[in-house]
Amino acid sequence: MTSQPKSETKSHGAQPGRIAFVGGFEPRRCGIATFTHDICEAVAAAAPAADCFAGAVNDRVEGYKYPPRVRFEILEKDLDSYRRAADFLNFTNTEVLCVQHEFGIYGGTAGSHILAMLKEVRMPVVTTLHTVLTEPNPAQRKVMEELILRSDRLVVMARKGAEILRDTYGVPSAKIDIIPHGIPDIPFADSQVYKAQFGVDGRMVLLTFGLLGPGKGIEHVIEALPEIVRRHPNVVYIVLGATHPHLIEREGETYRLSLERLAEDRGVKEHVIFYNRFVSAEDLTEFIGATDIYLTPYLNEAQITSGTLAQVFGAGKPVVSTPYWHARELLAEDRGILVPFRDPQAIANGVCDLLDHPERLEKIRHAAYAMGREMIWPAVADLYLESFRHARADRTAKPRTAFAGWTLASRPYDLPPLRLDHVARMSDGTGIFQHAIFNVPNFHEGYCTDDNARAFILCNLLEELGGEPHSKDLQHLSVGYLAFLAAALDYQTGRFRNFMSHGREWLEDFGSEDSHCRALWSLGVGAGRSHNEGYRRLCVQLFDRGLAIVETFTSPRAWAFALLGIHEYLQHDPDKRETLIAREKLTSLLVNLWKNCATENWPWFETSATYDNARMSQALILSGRNMPHPGALEIGLKSLRWLASIQTTQDGHFRPIGSNGFYVKNGARADFDQQPVEAQAMVSASLDAFRITQDPAWNREAKRAFEWFLGRNDLGVPLYDSRSGGCSDGLHRERISENQGAESTLAFHLALAEMNYAQHALITPQIASV
């Protein structure tokens, strides 16, 4: 379907009676919020008999004061709120769901949280794609492919978007509707009528509006102004709009201030007016009315749609723009002027050409306004209603099988909610304490690098999942754990120390090989995953300094921990030569260890299975997948399969190898004391095995191991304490430990975080947990 007069539109069945729109929503300040509001209101006006309502995505915990049109809210980074939204939509018998999609407005990797909702809703889904990437990264491609699968119809706002969907994602043309970005119906008027109220009467007004950010390219217009002003001294450039709220949070007004300084440096400050505010629709109409030429000097060629461009173009204003995709399509056939990216001289020439030739300017105005009549909201609403009817007809003709969420067998496994009380209780300004007496930190035992490394990984994983409403707590905790790791490294020896007293005194010159490589592991995760640039840079520095000595180590688990850290680090710098060489050497060491020990009846790396056993298998699974090392992946899977078999009881629950004697070849295995780190290692390794093989048996193994924490174990008693958020230190023959130390508590929370990834996000980045 393309934009066309209503009379030519072929009907596809009955109009839906209850229509939901999901996206941002006003008064949230972003382009998607404005669009969701406008399309919802336009469809409601075009179909007065329909019940049109919205679900608003919040980017902050406190939300916004929404109008009655908003019936439910989704917290961007709260995965469960997406499932609750699906339940609401299903139970209210919503007949069509229209989703506004932009990678950045939903939580999870590449906005994957929205998929948790889409896989549970029962009604037809029409998805409007505000961004369509030609070269998505792997996470973006996976989300896009799943989004396409879950959508009955896809709406794009330009022909280029449809072309990319066909060529890059293999979407059939019959599934794509091309519907232009809607605009208000503004009368065609002379700009002089509006100028006096802004104090620019008698001047030629250039305008750029929208939320400010570096991608807007406004600096290139300011660089062009000296030439423009030299030829047309009565020109004034209005930059209208507040700085983007997310940019304010990160950098304050740095970008706007840099523009103001640039205008002063170029001697054009008297010709630039900054209106630093978010304007109402009514005020915006007045500003557009006063405009003679609109400028969009955007820097991203792949921008497939621009609401600001559409609105000003449809109002009959000449446009000078860089050739991003939407502009190239809209301004074709002399409906505007296109100039190269980052080219102030070309901008000056384009503006002056229009000012020098008023007859051409007027011709462009009339052509733009005429085309804009196809883009006004009533026309766009009719096209959306036709898409909705088409989606319902498609679903009736080709009904889908019942969605997950409606039988106990298919609904995602209910996981405990995140509760970080005990993690916070065990932490202070230095780091996390090793041990607890019951659920009280044991100051006497101090701190260790092992547990701070685990805690730092947890913070990164929760940040990736979307840690709201715990984000401030996570930031505070994360920096403390990273600072501990930085202090633990002795730069002269390149070794990490492990144990520190409560008085902040190191108790050894260097720690064990295992603790050293666990620290590297956590730093690899920080380098590859942290959203904080300063954290990432420090992690890279510490990782690089501590990696070299690892090739001298003799501990197989240290090799495995280092490999897991390398796997994460390479997401930051996949071509780092030293890191790739280390991966090859350590993988060879583990493979040779296996070959020298494993037999048909004992397919293992050593003559005993002791602690953190699954990590050696996991390291080879991940390293073998990403490098051409003969047999590494197969050894990893075979050894993990054997480990799963000896840790599963006859009645099917998980029984980790006990620490009171372990399991020696040709001997009897110890059943107690069972440690939480063994269950967590099995969860993590099994999930990685599933991601690589797609064998559902590995998902079942992960679930079996996770349920050990919740009471499916030899005693039938949960080790996780949902009241405190802590986890018992172990399971003995007749009781569980009453203490809730850091290692055990972190083991549970890391396992929970990974299970959340696997169960809900559909995108499962290969983070290896501690």
Side-chain angles (χ1 to χ4, degrees):
M1 181 189 302
T2 58
S3 176
Q4 54 188 314
K6 186 178 180 182
S7 61
E8 297 179 14
T9 303
K10 181 181 177 182
S11 179
H12 290 91
Q15 178 175 289
R18 183 171 286 114
I19 306 168
F21 298 83
V22 168
F25 206 88
E26 293 183 345
R28 179 176 173 180
R29 296 180 175 182
C30 76
I32 300 293
T34 301
F35 183 91
T36 309
H37 169 274
D38 290 347
I39 187 59
C40 185
E41 294 299 329
V43 170
D51 178 18
C52 295
F53 62 94
V57 180
N58 293 326
D59 60 343
R60 61 188 193 187
V61 175
E62 62 270 26
Y64 298 87
K65 189 176 181 179
Y66 291 114
R69 188 74 74 184
V70 174
R71 305 262 181 89
F72 64 96
E73 299 176 34
I74 297 171
L75 185 56
E76 176 187 322
K77 296 181 179 180
D78 180 9
L79 197 53
D80 285 338
S81 71
Y82 292 82
R83 288 180 57 194
R84 292 192 295 271
D87 289 341
F88 177 86
L89 292 165
N90 288 330
F91 289 128
T92 55
N93 295 315
T94 302
E95 295 178 36
V96 170
L97 171 62
C98 184
V99 174
Q100 308 309 309
H101 182 262
E102 168 67 60
F103 289 106
I105 70 168
Y106 300 111
T109 305
S112 59
H113 283 4
I114 188 63
L115 302 178
M117 181 185 77
L118 293 183
K119 70 179 180 178
E120 293 194 35
V121 296
R122 294 187 297 173
M123 71 292 304
V125 176
V126 176
T127 299
T128 302
L129 300 171
H130 293 259
T131 296
V132 188
L133 301 176
T134 54
E135 297 181 358
N137 63 37
Q140 290 167 335
R141 176 176 284 278
K142 183 69 182 294
V143 168
M144 193 67 171
E145 289 173 347
E146 191 71 26
L147 188 67
I148 291 167
L149 177 66
R150 299 287 175 184
S151 300
D152 294 83
R153 301 203 64 75
L154 300 167
V155 175
V156 291
M157 302 182 196
R159 291 187 299 275
K160 181 67 174 181
E163 176 188 316
I164 297 169
L165 285 178
R166 290 190 297 266
D167 295 347
T168 303
Y169 301 97
V171 180
S173 297
K175 188 173 181 173
I176 304 169
D177 296 330
I178 304 173
I179 303 178
H181 194 296
I183 61 172
D185 192 3
I186 298 175
F188 190 83
D190 192 303
S191 62
Q192 296 302 322
V193 175
Y194 297 91
K195 290 182 178 180
Q197 62 184 308
F198 301 118
V200 291
D201 196 20
R203 304 186 73 175
M204 298 302 291
V205 175
L206 315 180
L207 174 70
T208 296
F209 83 85
L211 293 174
L212 257 65
K216 298 291 186 181
I218 293 169
E219 61 272 20
H220 299 294
V221 178
I222 295 175
E223 292 280 9
L225 275 178
E227 175 64 14
I228 296 172
V229 169
R230 184 183 69 80
R231 296 166 62 177
H232 296 274
N234 65 336
V235 159
V236 61
Y237 178 39
I238 296 177
V239 180
L240 174 62
T243 302
H244 197 292
H246 292 172
L247 187 63
I248 288 283
E249 290 178 7
R250 296 195 307 269
E251 302 177 11
E253 288 286 7
T254 301
Y255 179 63
R256 182 185 298 276
L257 292 173
S258 72
L259 296 176
E260 293 177 358
R261 286 195 299 270
L262 180 62
E264 185 170 357
D265 292 344
R266 297 297 179 266
V268 293
K269 67 177 182 178
E270 302 299 328
H271 296 268
V272 182
I273 301 173
F274 287 94
Y275 282 92
N276 184 9
R277 60 192 178 98
F278 191 84
V279 295
S280 67
E282 294 76 17
D283 288 344
L284 182 56
T285 298
E286 301 290 309
F287 275 103
I288 292 173
T291 299
D292 294 296
I293 298 174
Y294 187 65
L295 303 174
T296 59
Y298 302 162
L299 305 180
N300 178 16
E301 182 186 26
Q303 186 165 343
I304 200 67
T305 183
S306 168
T308 60
L309 172 63
Q311 186 167 348
V312 177
F313 175 87
K317 300 297 178 179
V319 178
V320 175
S321 176
T322 50
Y324 57 93
W325 289 335
H326 192 197
R328 193 182 306 169
E329 195 166 306
L330 202 59
L331 304 183
E333 299 178 2
D334 204 33
R335 292 189 294 265
I337 292 180
L338 295 174
V339 298
F341 294 103
R342 297 178 173 85
D343 191 336
Q345 185 60 53
I347 293 172
N349 292 339
V351 169
C352 290
D353 182 64
L354 290 176
L355 295 178
D356 290 340
H357 302 94
E359 69 286 349
R360 185 184 180 198
L361 187 148
E362 280 301 309
K363 180 182 177 181
I364 289 175
R365 285 191 67 207
H366 284 276
Y369 190 78
M371 185 172 177
R373 298 317 88 205
E374 300 177 14
M375 300 161 58
I376 59 175
W377 279 116
V380 168
D382 284 342
L383 292 170
Y384 267 91
L385 283 169
E386 180 59 21
S387 182
F388 297 162
R389 288 189 287 267
H390 199 160
R392 295 187 74 202
D394 288 348
R395 182 67 70 91
T396 301
K398 299 178 181 179
R400 298 185 183 182
T401 56
F403 278 100
W406 294 94
T407 67
L408 204 58
S410 59
R411 188 175 180 103
Y413 181 47
D414 284 328
L415 294 164
L418 177 65
R419 181 162 187 165
L420 296 176
D421 301 39
H422 192 56
V423 173
R425 185 185 304 118
M426 290 288 291
S427 304
D428 66 1
T430 301
I432 192 166
F433 290 101
Q434 287 189 78
H435 298 297
I437 306 170
F438 302 109
N439 62 355
V440 178
N442 185 346
F443 290 178
H444 180 71
E445 299 292 340
Y447 318 85
C448 70
T449 293
D450 272 322
D451 291 335
N452 280 275
R454 293 183 173 102
F456 185 59
I457 290 185
L458 176 64
C459 289
N460 279 278
L461 190 51
L462 291 178
E463 181 184 34
E464 191 113 54
L465 270 171
E468 298 286 3
H470 304 277
S471 59
K472 291 184 178 179
D473 293 336
L474 287 174
Q475 292 169 17
H476 174 74
L477 293 170
S478 183
V479 70
Y481 304 144
L482 179 56
F484 186 96
L485 295 170
L489 180 64
D490 183 334
Y491 277 79
Q492 291 184 341
T493 64
R495 288 293 299 267
F496 286 94
R497 293 161 288 205
N498 193 18
F499 297 111
M500 175 187 277
S501 72
H502 186 220
R504 297 187 178 182
E505 293 182 355
W506 290 108
L507 303 179
E508 57 195 352
D509 292 331
F510 54 86
S512 66
E513 293 179 357
D514 288 7
S515 67
H516 180 100
C517 290
R518 199 182 296 277
L520 283 182
W521 184 356
S522 69
L523 295 168
V525 171
R529 302 288 180 173
S530 178
H531 296 182
N532 184 297
E533 182 181 359
Y535 295 6
R536 289 197 307 273
R537 293 176 65 182
L538 178 56
C539 286
V540 169
Q541 177 180 308
L542 296 172
F543 184 96
D544 289 346
R545 187 67 184 86
L547 179 62
I549 201 168
V550 173
E551 65 181 53
T552 69
F553 288 177
T554 59
S555 164
R557 281 158 190 79
W559 302 339
F561 297 163
L563 282 170
L564 295 172
I566 288 170
H567 173 78
E568 292 295 335
Y569 181 94
L570 289 173
Q571 297 189 52
H572 155 73
D573 187 353
D575 301 318
K576 186 71 172 290
R577 182 174 179 272
E578 294 83 358
T579 310
L580 293 171
I581 291 173
R583 183 176 67 175
E584 173 66 34
K585 289 181 178 179
L586 295 174
T587 301
S588 295
L589 287 171
L590 273 181
V591 168
N592 291 334
L593 189 71
W594 159 276
K595 290 179 177 179
N596 291 331
C597 182
T599 64
E600 182 176 350
N601 296 323
W602 184 263
W604 195 239
F605 300 87
E606 302 172 294
T607 56
S608 60
T610 55
Y611 65 95
D612 252 346
N613 293 300
R615 297 308 185 182
M616 291 185 285
S617 303
Q618 184 181 12
L620 288 186
I621 289 170
L622 292 177
S623 297
R625 162 78 185 283
N626 294 302
M627 61 181 291
H629 197 292
L633 175 59
E634 291 74 15
I635 291 170
L637 291 170
K638 184 174 182 178
S639 59
L640 187 62
R641 199 173 294 115
W642 175 78
L643 188 63
S645 71
I646 66 169
Q647 295 189 129
T648 302
T649 65
Q650 288 186 348
D651 68 357
H653 69 256
F654 180 70
R655 177 189 287 159
I657 293 170
S659 62
N660 188 15
F662 299 119
Y663 184 17
V664 179
K665 183 178 180 180
N666 298 323
R669 59 156 282 170
D671 290 340
F672 301 95
D673 297 333
Q674 298 174 20
Q675 301 295 310
V677 291
E678 299 305 321
Q680 191 251 323
M682 197 67 193
V683 168
S684 183
S686 296
L687 290 176
D688 276 335
F690 171 73
R691 289 168 193 143
I692 289 170
T693 67
Q694 294 297 299
D695 182 348
W698 290 119
N699 261 345
R700 293 193 292 272
E701 290 298 339
K703 181 180 177 182
R704 188 198 321 275
F706 183 76
E707 288 178 337
W708 179 88
F709 290 102
L710 305 181
R712 193 182 174 202
N713 52 47
D714 283 327
L715 298 186
V717 177
L719 283 84
Y720 174 60
D721 182 352
S722 60
R723 297 165 302 174
S724 70
C727 180
S728 168
D729 280 347
L731 187 144
H732 305 301
R733 187 174 299 276
E734 297 177 349
R735 63 178 178 84
I736 63 170
S737 171
E738 295 183 272
N739 298 328
Q740 297 177 354
E743 177 184 285
S744 303
T745 295
L746 292 167
F748 170 79
H749 284 292
L750 284 160
L752 174 61
E754 288 214 276
M755 290 294 289
N756 266 313
Y757 256 121
Q759 297 241 335
H760 301 293
L762 296 181
I763 282 281
T764 49
Q766 293 175 13
I767 280 191
S769 298
V770 177

